[in-house]
Amino acid sequence: MPPALPAVKLVGAVALAGLGLLLHEGDLVQLALALGAAAGLAAWALRDLLVPVRLAADPDGLTVVRGFAGRRRLPWASVEAITVDRRTRFGLAAETLEIDAGESLHLFGRYDLDAPPDEVAETLRAARPG
């Protein structure tokens, strides 16, 4: 993930909170919405700072981050498929790495991986034993 991205999210959170405080004009619902959005954006930035590695592979399997900072170990035997989903919407293309582990599906975007999902999928397939 680009190092500036969490900083931009934190600046956005501060800006939202500041605008909410300056412009609420006694409307507590508007203030609560602005502060709630700012808190969500700050939590997202904090997650990026505390848990920058979202996916790791070794000879025994994969480690994926679940939730805010939880980790789940996936042995290679439980990984059924590693694919890249491509979608175009409003002229913008998006790629998502999908790791299908039977009872769970793990999705990673470019910023989660700090690399194109195609390259990561190829690397994971090459690292998978057998």
Side-chain angles (χ1 to χ4, degrees):
M1 162 179 340
L5 196 55
V8 169
K9 291 175 187 176
L10 287 173
V11 168
V14 170
L16 272 172
L19 285 172
L21 290 170
L22 287 174
L23 303 176
H24 73 86
E25 297 178 1
D27 184 357
L28 295 180
V29 172
Q30 183 180 359
L31 178 61
L33 287 174
L35 293 178
L41 196 55
W44 189 17
L46 187 62
R47 184 211 63 176
D48 290 347
L49 292 171
L50 295 176
V51 191
V53 177
R54 312 293 300 160
L55 173 68
D58 62 36
D60 297 324
L62 300 173
T63 302
V64 296
V65 173
R66 288 181 68 182
F68 192 79
R71 297 190 185 282
R72 179 167 183 206
R73 185 77 179 141
L74 301 173
W76 284 116
S78 71
V79 177
E80 295 178 6
I82 298 170
T83 60
V84 176
D85 181 47
R86 290 177 188 80
R87 296 181 189 245
T88 303
R89 187 169 181 185
F90 301 119
L92 298 174
E95 292 184 338
T96 304
L97 175 69
E98 296 181 354
I99 299 174
D100 184 355
E103 77 284 346
S104 62
L105 181 65
H106 304 275
L107 306 172
F108 301 92
R110 179 179 179 86
Y111 291 118
D112 292 323
L113 301 168
D114 199 22
D118 276 337
E119 291 178 15
V120 175
E122 289 176 25
T123 303
L124 291 177
R125 288 184 198 114
R128 188 176 189 170

